[in-house]
Amino acid sequence: MSGGRGWDLLVEGCTTVAAPGTDAELLARVVAWAVRPRRSLEAIRRSCRDAGATLLRAETAAIRDVVADHVDADDAAAATPLVQMWAAAGVRAALVGDATYPVRLAEGWPETDGPTLLAWRGAAVPDVPTVAIVGARRATGYGTAVAAWLSEAAAAAGAHVVSGGAVGVDAAAHAAAVELPGGTTVVLGCGHGVAYPRPHARPGGLFDRVIDHGGTLASELLPQEPPHAGQVRARNRIVAGLADVVVVVEGGERSGALLTAGAAAERGRTVLAVPGDVRADGSVAPHRLLSEGVAPCTGPPDLLQALGGPRRGETVARGVAAGGLSTLPDDVHALLAARWPRPVRIDELARTTARAVGPLLAAVTRARVAGELADGPEGVRLRRAPG
Amino acid sequence: MGANHGVLATVHGVALVGLEPYRVTVEASLASGLPTLRLVGLPDAAVREAGDRVKTGLQRSGFVWPGERLVVNLAPADLPKVGTAFDLPLAIAVLIATGQVPRSAIGTWACGEVGLDGSIRAVPGLLPITAGARGFGAGRLFVPDVAAREAALVSDIEVVPVHDLAEVGRVLHGARPRVAEPAAIATPGPGPDLAEVRGQHLARRAVEIAAAGGHHLLLSGPPGCGKTMLAHRLHGLLPMLEVPAAMEVAAVHSLAGERAPDAPLSLVPPMREPHHTVSSAGLIGGGSGVPRPGELPLAHHGLLLMDELLETPRFVLDALRQPLERGSVIITRARARVTYPARVQLVAATNPCPCGELGNPTRSCSCRPDAIERYRARLSGPLLDRLDLQVEVWPVERDQLVGPPDGESTVVVARRVAEVRHRAAERWGSGVLSRDVPAATLRRSVRGAALRALASDLEQLGASARGFDRCLRVARTLADLAGDDVVDVEHVQEAVAYRLSSPVMAT
Ligand SMILES: Nc1ncnc2c1ncn2[C@@H]1O[C@H](COP(=O)(O)OP(=O)(O)O)[C@@H](O)[C@H]1O
Ligand SMILES: [Mg+2]
Ligand SMILES: [Zn+2]
C-alpha cells in the first residue's frame, strides 16, 4: 500500500522517529506490519532467515521483501498513534543494519536473534567496548555492591555498561556507571510508553538520569507493550547481544541471568561469573556457570582484561568531556583557552594556528560531539572554563 | 509557369515543445476556385500571419502568387505551432505547388522567418531545431544565413544558409549552395581570481568543495563581507563544458533568445544572477504559447546565484526545490507539458538576520529573536537539506584586506577541482557529480565506521536525520579532494561542520 492520508500521517511520524540513516518509509511499513497480533517483528526476522538473507548489506532489502504489500490502511491507522507516542517521548528508532543500530546486535542477523527494530530514548548505543552486568532482582547487599564495583571500574575505563531496567543488580550497575565516561544503556522489557518499573521510570528517576548523562534507554517493543515474563526473557538476549562480555553477578536457579549468559555464549561472547556466598540462593546461577567452565570474575582486573583492556586515553567521546582531557590539538585548545569565554571564528583559528580548514573542522566536530566545544554564530568556544 | 494541379507539395519543418522537437509537415496544393489561401491545422495567429508575409515576400522576390485557390495544411494538427519558423517551409511548399521550383524540392527541410522583402530571418531555437531535423533523418536543412553557423554546430546534416527567397529558388533549381562553417568555439579569458579574496579560509574551502562536487552552497553573512565575490570565483573554478553539454546550454539560450545567432559556442558554464524579486515564472519559465525557459534552465550545466535568498518570497523558494532535485523544470500548460533541462548548481547568499549584524563581534544585532527565527524559517527544511554546504562568512579585518594575497589562486584550486571531477566521472560515469549520487550508492564507498560515526555525531549534536545524506555527499567529495577512494571518519567529521550554527537553521 502507499498513498492516502493515513499512510502520510504514519510516514510523517516515522520521519520524526527515524534515526539518522534509517529509511522512514520502511520503518513505517515495519511498524504497520507489526501492529497486527498474527504478525510480529520477530516474524520478520524469521522470514528473512528463511529467505536466506545473510549479507549484512541486504538486511533492509530482506525486510522490505517481507513486509512489502502486506500492510493496508487499517494497519497504518493502527500504527500511527504508536509512532506518535514514540515521537512524543523523543524516541528514535532504527532497523537492523542501519547506521545507528548497534553493530554487535546486528552481528549474524538474521541467524542471531537481534530485534528487527530497536527504539531508544537518549543517545544511540555507542560503538565502544561494552560489558553487560546482570543478576537477580532480589539481590543481596553483596550482589549490588559487586555489581556497582565492577560497573564503576568498567565505565571509568571508558567501557559502556548495559543491563536490564530492573531493580537489584541491574539498577546498581546503572547507577554506578551513569555519570562516568563509558556511560550506560538500559534495555527495557516493555515499550517506551509504559512506565515500568515505577521507581526508575518516574521523573528524576534512574531512567531520566541515564538519559540526562548521555546514556540510552532501549526497547525492541512497540510503545504500548506491557512488561511480562516472556518479554523480560526476550530482553535478556538483547542485553547479551549488545555486550562483548557478560558478567553474571547473582541469580537463582531459574534466573534470567542464565538466559543472558546462554545467549552470549551462543554469539561467542565472553561470559564471566562472580563467585558468591555458598549459602545464598542467588549464588546458584553464577556457581553453575563456574562449574560449567565459565571464567570467574574476582574483581575489575578480570573484567577489564576480558574487555581487552580499554585504556583511559581511548575512552569514548563523552568521557573526555567528563575526564578533562581535550580532544583538540594543543595549539587550538590553547587559543580557545586564552579567549575563553569569548568565541573564536574558524577563520581565525585556522589563520592563527596555520592549520588547514578541513582537519580543523574535523577536530572541531569531534570536540563538539565530546561536549567540549559549543558553537554559535560568533564562532566556537570551550564549554567549560579552562583548568 | 505551369501550375501543378493536383500536386501535393510536401515540405518539412520542426516545432519545439520545450526543447523537444516535433516534425511538422507543410502540405500545399492548388485547387480551382477563387484565389484564396486556406491554412488548416489549427495554427496560431502568428502562423496565419505567415500567409501574408510569405505572399508579400514571394512577390517582392520575383515569384508569382497563384491566381487559384491554395490550400495549406500544417500537420499534425494537435501540435501547437508557434512563431515564425514555418514561413520558409510554407514558402517552399507554395513554390512547388505552383511549379516555380522543380518537384525534386518535395521533402525539403527548412526553417526560418520570411520578411516582407523576401529576406530569411533568424528564429529562436535554431540549434535544437537543427538537431531535431537531423534526428528525423533530414539530409539537409535550409536555415537563415545569419544563424547558419549556430545550426552548423550540429553534425551529420547539411546546413544550407539562405539569405532570401531568391537564393532559395536558385538552390532548389540546382545552384550550388553556400557552405556554413560551424560557429567557433569560444576560448574564454580568465575571470576574477580567487587569490583576490583575502582571508576567508573557511569560505574558500567551502567554495572549492562546492566546485569539486557540484554541491549547492549557502553563504550567510552581513553585506559587504565578500559573498558575491566568492560566488563569482566559484564560477571560475568550474571546468569547461564538454561540447555536447555546451550545445545543450546553447540550445536553451537559443530558444530563450538569449543568444546572438552568430555567437561562438561557449564552453564556459553559464552563470545566472536573478534578482531576489524574481517571480517563480521568471525562475522556471513562462509566457504565453510555448513557455520561454526561465533562469533555472538558462543556468543549465552552470551556476544559479541567488542573492538575498531570505528576501525571496517563500513560494518562489519552494519553486526551486523540485527542479534542483530533478535536474529539470516542468511547465504544465493547457495544451502542452514542457520540460527544460536544469542541472543547476545553486549558490545562495543571505544575511544572517534582517539587520545583518547577527554574530558581529563589534556591532550588535537589533533584531528580536522571534524575528530572526521567522526570517530564517523562510528557508524551508527540504530546500535547506539540498544546500549541502552552509557556511557563515564574516568581514575580514582591514589590515588583512590591504595585505598581500594569502590564499591560492584560481588556477591552482581549479586543477584540484578538475581532478575530483575526473575521479567522480570514473566512479559514477561521465558528468555525474557527488551532489547527484543517490544516498544508497554513496554508502557503498563509505567505511562502516564512518557511517556509524556520522550517525552518532548527528545524534549527539541534536541534528535531524535529514542531515545524514547531505553530510555523506560532502564527505564523498572531501575524500576525493584528499585522493581517497573510501570515505573515512575524518571526512565525515569535516562534512558535519558545514552547517549553520543557529538552532533554527540546523537540520
Ligand atoms: N575577503 C575579501 N577580500 C578582498 N576583498 C573583499 C573581501 N571581502 C569584501 N571585499 C571587497 O568588498 C566588496 C564587496 O563584496 P561583496 O562580495 O559584494 O559582498 P556581499 O556580496 O557579501 O555583500 C568586494 O567587491 C571586494 O572589493
Ligand atoms: Mg552581494
Ligand atoms: Zn539583526
Side-chain angles (χ1 to χ4, degrees), chain B residues 353-358 365-367:
Chain B
C353 66
C355 84
E357 301 295 352
L358 180 70
C365 162
S366 58
C367 309

Short mmCIF file of all heavy atoms in Angstrom, two decimals, chain B residues 353-358 365-367, ligand 3:
data_model
loop_
_atom_site.label_atom_id
_atom_site.label_comp_id
_atom_site.label_asym_id
_atom_site.label_seq_id
_atom_site.Cartn_x
_atom_site.Cartn_y
_atom_site.Cartn_z
N CYS B 353 20.53 37.78 9.53
CA CYS B 353 19.29 38.19 10.19
C CYS B 353 18.79 39.42 9.44
O CYS B 353 19.49 39.96 8.59
CB CYS B 353 19.55 38.53 11.66
SG CYS B 353 20.60 39.98 11.86
N PRO B 354 17.59 39.91 9.75
CA PRO B 354 17.09 41.06 8.97
C PRO B 354 18.03 42.26 8.98
O PRO B 354 18.17 42.94 7.96
CB PRO B 354 15.75 41.37 9.64
CG PRO B 354 15.31 40.08 10.22
CD PRO B 354 16.57 39.37 10.64
N CYS B 355 18.69 42.55 10.10
CA CYS B 355 19.56 43.73 10.13
C CYS B 355 20.96 43.41 9.65
O CYS B 355 21.75 44.31 9.36
CB CYS B 355 19.60 44.35 11.53
SG CYS B 355 20.80 43.60 12.64
N GLY B 356 21.30 42.16 9.56
CA GLY B 356 22.59 41.77 9.01
C GLY B 356 23.75 41.72 9.98
O GLY B 356 24.86 41.37 9.60
N GLU B 357 23.51 42.04 11.24
CA GLU B 357 24.64 42.15 12.16
C GLU B 357 24.75 40.99 13.15
O GLU B 357 25.63 40.98 14.01
CB GLU B 357 24.55 43.46 12.97
CG GLU B 357 24.55 44.72 12.11
CD GLU B 357 25.85 44.91 11.34
OE1 GLU B 357 26.81 44.16 11.58
OE2 GLU B 357 25.87 45.82 10.49
N LEU B 358 23.87 40.02 13.03
CA LEU B 358 23.90 38.92 13.98
C LEU B 358 25.27 38.24 13.96
O LEU B 358 25.76 37.85 12.91
CB LEU B 358 22.81 37.90 13.64
CG LEU B 358 22.74 36.69 14.58
CD1 LEU B 358 22.24 37.09 15.95
CD2 LEU B 358 21.83 35.61 13.99
N CYS B 365 23.31 43.22 16.95
CA CYS B 365 22.14 42.94 16.12
C CYS B 365 20.92 43.53 16.81
O CYS B 365 20.73 43.38 18.00
CB CYS B 365 22.00 41.43 15.96
SG CYS B 365 20.38 40.87 15.42
N SER B 366 20.10 44.22 16.03
CA SER B 366 18.94 44.89 16.63
C SER B 366 17.66 44.09 16.45
O SER B 366 16.58 44.57 16.69
CB SER B 366 18.79 46.27 15.99
OG SER B 366 18.64 46.10 14.59
N CYS B 367 17.80 42.84 15.98
CA CYS B 367 16.60 42.06 15.69
C CYS B 367 16.12 41.32 16.93
O CYS B 367 16.93 40.87 17.73
CB CYS B 367 16.87 41.04 14.59
SG CYS B 367 17.62 41.74 13.14
ZN ZN C 3 19.92 41.51 13.22
#
